[in-house]
Amino acid sequence: MKEPIMHSSPSPSGFSSAESISRILPAKLAPPMSAPSHLQRQKLLDLMIETGPARLVLIRAAAGFGKSTLMQQYYAHCLATGRAAIWFNLDVADNDLQRFVKHLNAGFDRLSEGQQAPQPVHPEQHSLSELSLDLLDRIAATETPFSLLLDEFEVIQNPQLLDFVRQLVENLPPNGRLVITSRSAPDIGLGRIRARGQLVEIGPSALRFSLDEATRFIREKHALQLRDNEIATLHRCTEGWAAAIFLATLSLHDRSDHAAFVSSFSGSNLELAEYLAEDILARQSEECRLFLMETSVLSQFCAPLCDAVTGRQDSQAMIEYLEKANLFLFPLDNDRSWFRYHSLFASFLSDALNRQHPGRAQHLHRAAASWYLSVDRPVPAIEALLRAGASAEAAVQIAAHVDELKDAGRARLLLRWLDQIPSAELDAHPKLLVAYAWTLVLSRRFQDAVPILHRLEAYETDGERQGYALEAETVRCLLLVMTERVEECCAAGLKQLDRLPPDELFQYGVVTNSLAFSMISTSRYDEARSLLSRALQRPAYRRSAYMRGLAGSMEGIIDLVQGRLGNALARLQTAAERHWNDTAGETLGGRPTIVVILSQALYEADELGETEQALLDILPYARDNSTPDQLIVSHVLLARLALLRGDRDQWLRYLAELEQLGQQVGSSRVVCTSWLERARVATLEGRLDAAEQALRSAELMSDWARPGLTLYASDVDLPSIVRWRLRIAQGDCAEPAAALAEAIVAAQGSQHHRRALKLRLLRAMALAGLHQDGAAFEELTLALRFASHEGFLRTFLDEGAPMAALLKRWAAAHQGKHQPSGIDAQFLATLLERIGSDRAAASTAAPGPGSHGEPLEALTAREIQVIRLLAEGHRNRVIAEKMFLSEFTVKSHLRNINAKLGAQGRTEAVAIARSRGLID
C-alpha cells in the first residue's frame, strides 16, 4: 500500500498552490526543437533504449554536456518507433507538488487520447493527497509502452515532490521508463534503485565528445575545415565538453587564424566566459563563488589543502556540495579525497579571481606551498612557489632536492623549473647551474648549455667549487655523445671516470653510459661490456632502476648490432618491465632509451603491433628529449608501419617531422636519414628517378658517415647501402655485387652481423640481376641460415617485391629436395607467408574513414599462440611461462590482439578468433 503524500507548502517560487495550478502551460510539455547542428549520439541512445529491467535512466552532468540534446534524441526515437513519450520541462515553480502533478496528469491525458486508459484525475475534485495517489495509480495501470522525460531536474528541491518521484519510480509498470536530466544527483533514493538493478546512469565521462565525435561536430555540423591537430588540441583543452566546443566553433567562423585561436582557447574566451558566468557561477551563493575562485589556483586539491589556502574550516562540506552539484569537479582517486576542476572552468575562475581580487592568487599559491612543505611534498610546493613568483624561495627548495630528482631522471621537470629562475639566483646555487646544464643537454638545447658549462668550469679548483667544475666535465661527456662526437667522448670519458669519487652514483652512471655508447659506436664492444660489468658491480648502481635500465639498453644495442636478436629481445623486454615497475613509469631518462631499442628489435622480429604501440607511447618524449638515434628509430619505424597500412600521408608526415627535428637540433644524420627512407621506398616502388633525387638530397647531408663509426639507428640504412640498392634496381649490378662482397667481409670482421645479413640479401639480388642464380641462391642460403635462428624477418620483408621473387625462386629450386641444412623450417614457412601478406598490404590502399567490410589485420603466429592459450582458460602468468615470455610481453600481445580483432576484452577476443577459424 502506498504511503500518503502530505500537502505541499507554498512553492519556492512564491506562487501559492492555487495560483500555480490555475492553468496548464503547453510549453511545459513541449520538447525542445532539434537543431541541425546537434550531433547524433547513437552509442548513448543505445544505452537508453536497451535498458533491460531498469526503470530509471539518469543523465547527470554539469551544464553544457548535452543532456537535454541527448534526451531530445531519445524522445525522437520513441516517436519514430511508436513508443509514447511525455516531455516535462521543469523550472523552480514546479517545486509545487500540485502544479507538478497537474502538468504530469495533463501529459498522460495526451498519451491516453484514443486509447483505453484509467480515467483522468480532476484536480478540482480531489485533495492534493488523493490527486497524487490517483496519478500514481493511473501511471501504474498504463498499458501503453511509454517514457516519462523530466528535463533539468536539479531545480526540484521540495522533499515532498522528491518523495513523490521516488514513489513514481517504484510504481512504474514494466512498460514504463522514467528519464531524468540533472546537473546534480537527485535525492530520490538512487542507492536503492541502483542496488535493485533498476538504474542506467549516463555521466560526464560518457557525455564527453570523443575525438571522432568532436571532428564530425566541427567539420560536418559546422562546416569548419580545421586540421586534425587543431581539432585534437581543441578536444584536449575542452576535455570533450560539448558547450565549449560549440562556443569555440562560433568564434572560429569569424576567424581565419584557426590554429592561433585553438592554441589560445581558454576560460577567458568571451563567449565561454559569458556562458560560465551567467549559467553557472550566477546560480551559486557568494560564499561558493569565492571558494571556487580561490581554489581555482590549485591544479588539484583536497579538503585540508583548501582549508590552508582559503582560511576556511568547512572545505570538505563545500567540496561535497560542488561534487553533488556537478560543478566541473573531477575526483582523482578512489577515495574521492583529491579533486581537480575542468581545465577551462579553472581558467575562467582564475581570470575572475584576478579581476575581482588583484594579487590574491600569489598569496594563495604561497599558502599552498607552505602546506605542501608541511606534508613533505616538495614537488608541488616548488610549483606553487614558482606560480607565486617566489623564485628565490623556489631555488632554495630545488637545490635541496635536485640530487634525488637527477637520480630519478626527472630532466624535463627540472628544466621547466630552472628556466624560470633568474640567472643571478642560479649563480647563488652552483648545484642548480650543474642541473641546468645537464637538463639543457638532454633537451638538445646545446647552445644554451655551453655558456653554463663555461661558468661552471671557471670556478676555482679548490674545495667545494672544484666539485662543480668536475661535474661540468661529466655534463660535457653527455653533450659530446648527444652531438655524436663519440671519439672525443671516449677520450674525455675515460679521464673523467678516473676523477670521479667512488660514491658519486649519478655522475658515474652518466659517464659510464655515455662512454659505453661511444665505445659501441666505434666497435669497441668488449671494452663496452667490461665497462658496464664493472659499473654493475657497484651496489649503488645496481640499486638504481634508472642506471640499470640504461646499462641494459647498451647491452641490447650490442646484441642487436652483432645479430643476436633473440638475446636482444629477452634482455630489453626484461629491462623495460623492471624499469617500469621499479620507477612507477615516471623516470624520463631511461625509459625512451630502452623502449626505442626494444622497438627496433621487435620490428626486426615482425612484431609490428607491439612495435607501434611502444613507439607511440614514447614519441612525445623522443621529440623533446632524445638522442639522434632515438629520433631516427621512432620516426622511421612509425613511418614504415604507416606505409604498410597504406597510409602514405602519415608516412610522409613522420619523415617530414624527422627532417624538421634534424634541422632544429643541427643533426645532419637525422636529416639525411629522412631522405634515405624516401629513397628506399621510391626504389622498392620502382620510382627510380624519385629515388635518385631523394638519395642525392641524403648524400648532401652524409658528412656523418665515416669508416669505423657504427650508430645503431643507421646500422643497415647507410647512404652506401641505399645507393647499392638503387643501382641494383637500375640494372647496374656488377659493381655493387663486387663492392657488397667486400662490405660483407668488413662487416663480419667488425662483428656487424646484422649489417652483414642485409648486405648478403642485396648481394643475392645483385647476383640474380646478373643471372647468376646459383651464386645468388648460395648467398641467400647463408642469409637464411643465420636469420632463421635469430628470427630476423623484417630484414627480408623490407626488401619488397625483388626479394619476394628471389625467395620464391629459391624455395622452388629446393622443392622436393632436401632443404639446405641449418635453416629452421618454421622460420622459412613464416617468412614466405609474411612476404605474401606484405605484398598484398602494399598493393591495397588503406580504406577511408567510415568504410565498412574492411578485412581485419592478420594475427602473427605468436599472437595466435597467445589467443589459443587464452581460449584454454589460462591467465597471463601461465601464458608467459608456457611461451617463455614476460607478463609485460603477454599483455602487449593481448592489446594487439584486441586491436586487430576489434574486441573489447578477453572473452570477446576468443569468440571472434573462433568465428574466424583461428582457434578450435
Side-chain angles (χ1 to χ4, degrees):
M1 180 176 178
K2 296 188 287 285
E3 296 179 3
I5 300 176
M6 304 302 293
H7 291 278
S8 70
S9 58
S11 73
S13 64
F15 295 105
S16 69
S17 296
E19 292 171 328
S20 64
I21 64 168
S22 59
R23 60 192 179 90
I24 297 294
L25 302 176
K28 302 291 293 179
L29 302 175
M33 296 293 293
S34 177
S37 61
H38 289 167
L39 187 73
Q40 187 77 2
R41 310 296 302 275
Q42 193 58 50
K43 288 184 179 180
L44 298 182
L45 277 176
D46 290 342
L47 285 177
M48 299 175 70
I49 295 165
E50 303 297 331
T51 57
R55 297 184 176 189
L56 171 64
V57 176
L58 175 62
I59 308 172
R60 183 169 68 93
F65 270 81
K67 302 184 296 296
S68 297
T69 299
L70 175 60
M71 194 158 74
Q72 192 280 331
Q73 293 175 6
Y74 175 75
Y75 179 85
H77 169 82
C78 289
L79 298 186
T81 57
R83 183 181 183 88
I86 302 169
W87 184 287
F88 195 167
N89 295 302
L90 299 172
D91 58 37
V92 174
D94 293 312
N95 275 281
D96 185 296
L97 179 57
Q98 192 169 3
R99 170 188 168 99
F100 182 93
V101 168
K102 181 175 181 180
H103 279 88
L104 193 54
N105 192 47
F108 273 89
D109 286 346
R110 295 183 180 182
L111 182 152
S112 303
E113 290 176 1
Q115 302 177 24
Q116 289 293 330
Q119 290 297 314
V121 180
H122 299 289
E124 64 276 6
Q125 300 172 4
H126 295 75
S127 68
L128 179 56
S129 177
E130 292 172 334
L131 182 69
S132 303
L133 291 173
D134 288 344
L135 178 57
L136 289 175
D137 285 337
R138 182 184 188 190
I139 293 171
T142 301
E143 297 180 357
T144 303
F146 72 94
S147 293
L148 173 58
L149 286 58
L150 304 181
D151 195 21
E152 299 192 14
F153 195 83
E154 69 274 2
V155 301
I156 302 301
Q157 301 295 327
N158 184 346
Q160 294 165 321
L161 183 47
L162 291 170
D163 188 56
F164 172 80
V165 174
R166 188 180 302 114
Q167 293 184 56
L168 172 61
V169 174
E170 292 178 357
N171 285 274
L172 277 175
N175 55 300
R177 296 290 180 275
L178 177 62
V179 183
I180 289 176
T181 69
S182 180
R183 296 188 185 187
S184 59
D187 186 13
I188 57 173
L190 289 178
R192 184 173 64 254
I193 300 170
R194 185 183 296 111
R196 293 174 177 175
Q198 297 174 345
L199 175 64
V200 171
E201 296 178 87
I202 299 176
S205 59
L207 288 165
R208 287 191 184 99
F209 278 5
S210 66
L211 179 57
D212 177 64
E213 286 177 319
T215 301
R216 290 190 288 117
F217 182 75
I218 291 169
R219 289 180 177 165
E220 298 174 13
K221 298 298 183 179
H222 291 275
L224 285 167
Q225 295 307 309
L226 270 65
R227 297 185 180 91
D228 288 346
N229 64 324
E230 293 167 352
I231 294 176
T233 299
L234 187 60
H235 179 262
R236 184 169 56 253
C237 77
T238 60
E239 301 184 46
W241 180 23
I245 297 174
F246 172 71
L247 291 170
T249 62
L250 296 182
S251 297
L252 284 164
H253 277 295
D254 299 326
R255 294 174 176 269
S256 57
D257 55 339
H258 291 169
F261 174 84
V262 167
S263 64
S264 63
F265 187 68
S266 70
S268 61
N269 172 265
L270 179 61
E271 291 84 357
L272 181 58
E274 288 179 350
Y275 173 79
L276 290 170
E278 295 172 5
D279 204 42
I280 297 174
L281 213 58
R283 296 182 176 215
Q284 308 307 316
S285 67
E286 180 61 34
E287 185 181 28
C288 180
R289 286 196 292 269
L290 181 60
F291 180 86
L292 286 167
M293 287 189 290
E294 290 188 333
T295 55
S296 69
V297 303
L298 305 171
S299 57
Q300 52 182 261
F301 52 85
C302 62
L305 174 58
C306 292
D307 283 342
V309 168
T310 65
R312 305 171 64 99
Q313 299 299 320
D314 62 345
S315 294
Q316 183 62 48
M318 185 63 76
I319 290 172
E320 289 173 0
Y321 164 75
L322 296 178
E323 187 177 16
K324 182 178 179 181
N326 260 309
L327 280 176
F328 297 96
L329 192 70
F330 304 131
L332 298 176
D333 58 1
N334 292 332
D335 295 333
R336 307 184 87 83
S337 56
W338 283 89
F339 298 86
R340 72 170 179 89
Y341 292 122
H342 188 289
S343 57
L344 288 179
F345 189 49
S347 173
F348 160 74
L349 292 171
S350 181
D351 285 347
L353 176 68
N354 291 332
R355 287 194 309 272
Q356 298 179 31
H357 305 280
R360 177 67 175 152
Q362 284 71 25
H363 295 289
L364 297 169
H365 283 305
R366 280 184 177 274
S370 296
W371 184 85
Y372 276 121
L373 289 173
S374 73
V375 295
D376 195 26
R377 294 190 58 188
V379 170
I382 293 167
E383 295 278 8
L385 287 170
L386 289 171
R387 292 193 187 106
S391 57
E393 297 172 46
V396 171
Q397 292 298 326
I398 298 171
H401 300 280
V402 69
D403 290 336
E404 59 195 85
L405 290 165
K406 284 165 56 182
D407 286 346
R410 301 296 298 274
R412 289 206 309 170
L413 177 66
L414 275 172
L415 181 59
R416 181 165 58 80
W417 287 347
L418 295 172
D419 273 339
Q420 300 175 65
I421 306 296
S423 180
E425 292 171 7
L426 284 175
D427 283 332
H429 301 278
K431 183 183 289 189
L432 294 188
L433 273 181
V434 174
Y436 198 22
W438 80 263
T439 54
L440 286 168
V441 170
L442 284 176
S443 299
R444 301 196 300 264
R445 289 167 55 182
F446 306 128
Q447 293 182 343
D448 293 337
V450 170
I452 302 293
L453 291 175
H454 288 328
R455 285 158 65 183
L456 287 165
E457 290 165 346
Y459 281 129
E460 298 175 7
T461 57
D462 64 327
E464 184 182 4
R465 293 183 180 275
Q466 182 179 5
Y468 298 133
L470 183 66
E471 195 160 356
E473 284 301 314
T474 296
V475 180
R476 189 173 293 282
C477 288
L478 180 63
L479 185 148
L480 290 171
V481 77
M482 290 281 286
T483 53
E484 302 183 357
R485 293 150 64 186
V486 292
E487 294 90 350
E488 293 178 60
C489 183
C490 282
L494 288 169
K495 293 178 182 178
Q496 186 68 355
L497 280 182
D498 292 336
R499 297 192 195 106
L500 291 174
D503 59 345
E504 180 52 66
L505 171 65
F506 180 79
Q507 289 192 66
Y508 186 84
V510 169
V511 175
T512 295
N513 286 294
S514 299
L515 185 54
F517 180 85
S518 299
M519 288 175 171
I520 294 168
S521 299
T522 50
S523 302
R524 297 160 64 177
Y525 304 121
D526 292 340
E527 291 179 69
R529 288 189 187 279
S530 176
L531 177 68
L532 294 169
S533 177
R534 290 198 304 273
L536 288 172
Q537 291 173 15
R538 295 192 171 199
Y541 199 100
R542 286 199 304 274
R543 287 194 297 271
S544 169
Y546 174 62
M547 298 304 179
R548 286 201 323 273
L550 288 175
S553 67
M554 294 299 110
E555 293 270 11
I557 292 173
I558 297 174
D559 286 334
L560 195 56
V561 169
Q562 293 185 341
R564 293 190 294 271
L565 181 58
N567 282 357
L569 279 168
R571 188 191 305 278
L572 291 165
Q573 285 173 327
T574 299
E577 186 171 8
R578 286 178 177 171
H579 184 272
W580 181 262
N581 291 337
D582 292 350
T583 63
E586 292 185 1
T587 298
L588 172 66
R591 184 163 167 258
T593 302
I594 299 170
V595 169
V596 163
I597 302 167
L598 172 59
S599 298
Q600 200 170 21
L602 289 168
Y603 179 80
E604 283 288 4
D606 203 35
E607 298 288 354
L608 303 187
E610 198 170 341
T611 301
E612 185 167 34
Q613 181 178 323
L615 289 175
L616 288 174
D617 188 36
I618 58 92
L619 187 60
Y621 306 116
R623 286 175 175 139
D624 295 334
N625 296 87
S626 65
T627 65
D629 286 276
Q630 292 166 15
L631 276 178
I632 290 169
V633 171
S634 59
H635 284 75
V636 168
L637 292 189
L638 285 171
R640 289 183 183 180
L641 293 169
L643 195 62
L644 284 171
R645 292 194 303 270
D647 191 345
R648 182 170 290 272
D649 289 341
Q650 186 62 55
W651 171 75
L652 284 171
R653 280 194 290 271
Y654 279 128
L655 295 182
E657 181 178 74
L658 180 62
E659 181 182 2
Q660 182 181 22
L661 288 169
Q663 293 168 345
Q664 288 176 1
V665 302
S667 172
S668 59
R669 181 163 69 103
V670 172
V671 176
C672 175
T673 301
S674 71
W675 285 103
L676 288 176
E677 182 63 13
R678 292 181 177 100
R680 184 190 75 86
V681 170
T683 300
L684 295 178
E685 293 176 345
R687 298 181 292 109
L688 303 186
D689 289 342
E692 184 67 54
Q693 292 176 5
L695 185 53
R696 286 174 184 168
S697 296
E699 288 171 339
L700 291 174
M701 305 293 294
S702 62
D703 56 323
W704 57 272
R706 52 190 185 270
L709 181 66
T710 304
L711 298 165
Y712 71 87
S714 305
D715 186 23
V716 295
D717 289 301
L718 295 165
S720 57
I721 291 177
V722 178
R723 172 61 68 183
W724 283 325
R725 183 185 291 111
L726 176 57
R727 290 183 65 181
I728 293 167
Q730 291 169 333
D732 179 12
C733 299
E735 188 175 338
L740 283 162
E742 296 178 5
I744 291 168
V745 173
Q748 291 178 321
S750 58
Q751 302 181 64
H752 295 167
H753 298 300
R754 178 180 174 227
R755 183 187 298 175
L757 174 61
K758 175 63 71 175
L759 296 174
R760 283 198 189 279
L761 299 186
L762 293 177
R763 187 163 191 268
M765 289 190 291
L767 292 169
L770 295 171
H771 306 292
Q772 299 177 20
D773 284 2
F777 289 171
E778 287 179 14
E779 202 72 75
L780 192 54
T781 298
L782 292 173
L784 287 167
R785 186 171 292 142
F786 174 82
S788 69
H789 293 285
E790 293 294 340
F792 281 100
L793 287 166
R794 289 304 325 173
T795 296
F796 291 83
L797 298 172
D798 282 349
E799 293 306 322
M803 175 52 59
L806 182 58
L807 271 170
K808 288 182 177 180
R809 287 168 51 206
W810 179 93
H814 293 91
Q815 191 171 11
K817 304 175 183 178
H818 291 294
Q819 293 282 1
S821 63
I823 299 175
D824 183 81
Q826 181 59 48
F827 171 85
L828 183 60
T830 301
L831 177 59
L832 293 172
E833 177 188 350
R834 292 297 294 124
I835 277 180
S837 61
D838 253 30
R839 293 186 67 187
S843 63
T844 305
S851 60
H852 299 284
E854 59 266 25
L856 294 170
E857 185 179 349
L859 299 184
T860 65
R862 198 176 282 189
E863 288 165 352
I864 290 175
Q865 189 177 357
V866 170
I867 196 71
R868 284 175 177 164
L869 291 170
L870 192 65
E872 294 172 8
H874 298 302
R875 309 305 297 172
N876 291 359
R877 182 179 298 278
V878 177
I879 294 174
E881 292 172 355
K882 287 180 175 290
M883 295 183 66
F884 302 100
L885 300 173
S886 68
E887 282 192 73
F888 175 83
T889 303
V890 172
K891 290 176 184 176
S892 297
H893 281 312
L894 290 173
R895 285 194 294 268
N896 295 336
I897 289 167
N898 286 338
K900 289 180 179 182
L901 298 181
Q904 300 299 314
R906 302 161 68 98
T907 303
E908 187 177 358
V910 170
I912 295 172
R914 281 202 174 101
S915 70
R916 295 180 59 196
L918 299 175
I919 57 177
D920 297 330

